[in-house]
Amino acid sequence: MSAFTLPRLGEATNGALHCERHRPEQTTLYRLVQQHAASFIAHTEASTGSELPRFIKAEFDAFLECGILAHGFLRLRCGECGHDRLLAFSCKRRGFCPSCGARRMSQTAAHLADHVIPHVPVRQWVLSLPIPLRVLLAAQPELVTLVLQVVQRALSRHLRGLC
């Protein structure tokens, strides 16, 4: 079984039968977001004097729906024994949801390790921006391209100087 496939209904994992539905609504993070997201957003908007970008509010909303059966699910049925299982839809977001973010990170890492990195020379650069600039780019995403062009030019000049 690969790291990215779900066990079939009734299939043994690590020698024991185990198939438990993830219940995000029982986690501390979920309860905190559920109780305080609206007041956090209102406080942040009042203190900054501007509305938060829509994608930030959408991340909170998607997180609160992720893995909750009431927001959609898939019914799985074993053809042999007739056992049913409900699989709640996930938000598939990258920003805030730890479950979906970890899954995507794991899939990306596996893809890079299996298909990309062995075939190309690799040099990694990490770009960290000051928080005020991050806020500006979140509010005005059209500026991200300009900032990345400046970074790319600086890295290109640096790399040409090394050769």
Side-chain angles (χ1 to χ4, degrees):
M1 178 184 324
S2 77
F4 306 112
T5 58
L6 294 172
R8 289 185 286 260
L9 295 176
E11 184 177 31
T13 56
N14 297 334
L17 284 176
H18 180 74
C19 223
E20 177 93 18
R21 187 178 81 76
H22 175 63
R23 299 180 188 282
E25 68 276 12
Q26 295 177 356
T27 66
T28 303
L29 177 62
Y30 184 92
R31 288 192 302 268
L32 284 170
V33 171
Q34 186 179 40
Q35 292 170 6
H36 301 289
S39 60
F40 167 76
I41 291 169
H43 172 76
T44 303
E45 291 178 344
S47 66
T48 61
S50 63
E51 191 169 324
L52 281 174
R54 281 189 304 262
F55 76 89
I56 293 176
K57 295 174 185 178
E59 284 288 331
F60 281 118
D61 292 341
F63 171 73
L64 292 173
E65 292 180 1
C66 183
I68 306 298
L69 292 172
H71 295 287
F73 60 88
L74 176 67
R75 179 178 167 221
L76 305 172
R77 181 180 199 79
C78 177
E80 294 177 18
C81 70
H83 180 75
D84 282 337
R85 154 128 316 128
L86 300 179
L87 178 64
F89 294 150
S90 62
C91 67
K92 296 179 179 61
R93 299 289 182 114
R94 298 184 331 182
F96 187 73
C97 181
S99 176
C100 293
R103 179 175 47 247
R104 185 174 290 220
M105 180 178 56
S106 177
Q107 289 171 338
T108 301
H111 170 73
L112 290 173
D114 294 344
H115 303 288
V116 177
I117 293 174
H119 308 292
V120 297
V122 176
R123 180 171 281 151
Q124 178 178 342
W125 297 87
V126 177
L127 175 63
S128 180
L129 300 172
I131 291 176
L133 185 55
R134 292 182 210 172
V135 172
L136 175 67
L137 294 176
Q140 299 180 33
E142 65 276 5
L143 297 178
V144 171
T145 300
L146 297 172
V147 170
L148 291 178
Q149 286 172 347
V150 170
V151 170
Q152 189 271 332
R153 280 195 306 269
L155 286 175
S156 293
R157 280 190 211 117
H158 174 74
L159 290 173
R160 279 193 296 263
L162 292 177
C163 297

